[in-house]
Amino acid sequence: MKAVIEGLLFVSGDEGLDLKQIADVLEVSPTVVKELLRDMKGDFKRQNRGVQIVELAGGYQLTTLPDHAPFFEKLAYSPTRTSLSQAALETLAIVAYKQPLTRIDIEDIRGVKTDRALHTLVAKDLIEEVGRAEAVGRPILYGTTKSFLTHFGLAGLQDLPEPSTVQSEEGLEEETRMLFARLDAKQLTMDDVEGNT
């Protein structure tokens, strides 16, 4: 059960889970879950694990250790250019063409959660908060950054390639690949021109 709880907390991400949610999944009482979580906290500490279980606002989350923060910062600001996941590329394409829009809007288009992809894109300075929607909870509106335009060699959003109509998830993946292939090809051509001048 501890392994299942660890997995549940991992997939719940920043939202975390409360005792009742975990108890319902495991089909045990919240008291049993509370005992298991207490044991797991001790296990993680004794085993010098890189993660911990914390209780926040009545829910439980799996988080990294505060002592390791300098290493995470180093990774986040590493100059090495890492490629974006398919999920991040799809999310970036949606934001580029439909901005400004909220996380919920993006998830409605993609059909899956986008928290991690949005976090990655914000960390890489490709998208940013551009305001708040006039809706319940005032959700964040996302848009692309100047770095996005610079990275892909675009003078403005009007220079984005024309999107085709995408009907399926497979079509969205293919469209995303084609979009970034066209943008990368455009960037290579611009680099060649600049190199010859």
Side-chain angles (χ1 to χ4, degrees):
M1 280 202 255
K2 288 180 182 179
V4 173
I5 292 172
E6 185 175 352
L8 290 171
L9 292 175
F10 177 78
V11 298
S12 71
D14 292 342
E15 294 176 17
L17 297 169
D18 62 32
L19 288 175
K20 183 176 179 342
Q21 290 171 307
I22 299 169
D24 288 348
V25 171
L26 294 177
E27 297 179 348
V28 297
S29 74
T31 307
V32 170
V33 173
K34 191 164 191 166
E35 282 295 311
L36 288 168
L37 284 164
R38 188 177 52 78
D39 288 351
M40 289 172 69
K41 286 180 182 182
D43 293 345
F44 283 21
K45 194 166 191 162
R46 279 190 301 280
Q47 295 167 3
N48 290 320
R49 300 276 298 273
V51 291
Q52 63 181 343
I53 296 173
V54 295
E55 185 176 1
L56 294 170
Y60 292 86
Q61 292 180 4
L62 197 60
T63 69
T64 56
L65 300 175
D67 294 348
H68 297 168
F71 299 103
F72 305 135
E73 279 183 37
K74 192 173 179 182
L75 176 65
Y77 296 108
S78 171
T80 58
R81 182 179 166 187
T82 55
S83 60
L84 294 172
S85 68
Q86 184 66 34
L89 286 173
E90 289 174 9
T91 302
L92 182 56
I94 291 166
V95 173
Y97 282 102
K98 302 210 176 267
Q99 63 186 300
L101 73 172
T102 67
R103 177 183 56 82
I104 299 297
D105 296 330
I106 298 165
E107 289 174 356
D108 284 346
I109 295 168
R110 287 199 65 231
V112 294
K113 287 203 165 280
T114 59
D115 294 336
R116 187 167 294 186
L118 286 171
H119 179 73
T120 298
L121 295 170
V122 168
K124 290 184 179 290
D125 195 30
L126 294 171
I127 65 170
E128 65 185 350
E129 180 180 330
V130 295
R132 295 281 180 157
E134 295 295 329
V136 176
R138 308 248 317 136
I140 295 170
L141 288 168
Y142 291 98
T144 53
T145 62
K146 185 176 177 187
S147 295
F148 167 81
L149 297 174
T150 304
H151 181 81
F152 291 107
L154 302 169
L157 294 175
Q158 70 278 2
D159 292 339
L160 281 169
E162 275 301 312
S164 61
T165 305
V166 177
Q167 299 297 329
S168 66
E169 189 174 318
E170 293 80 20
L172 179 60
E173 288 180 17
E174 183 59 29
E175 181 68 23
T176 302
R177 277 193 291 277
M178 289 170 43
L179 166 67
F180 287 101
R182 284 182 286 202
L183 288 172
D184 283 341
K186 183 175 182 176
Q187 181 63 40
L188 286 173
T189 305
M190 290 180 63
D191 290 345
D192 290 342
V193 169
E194 289 173 6
N196 291 332
T197 56

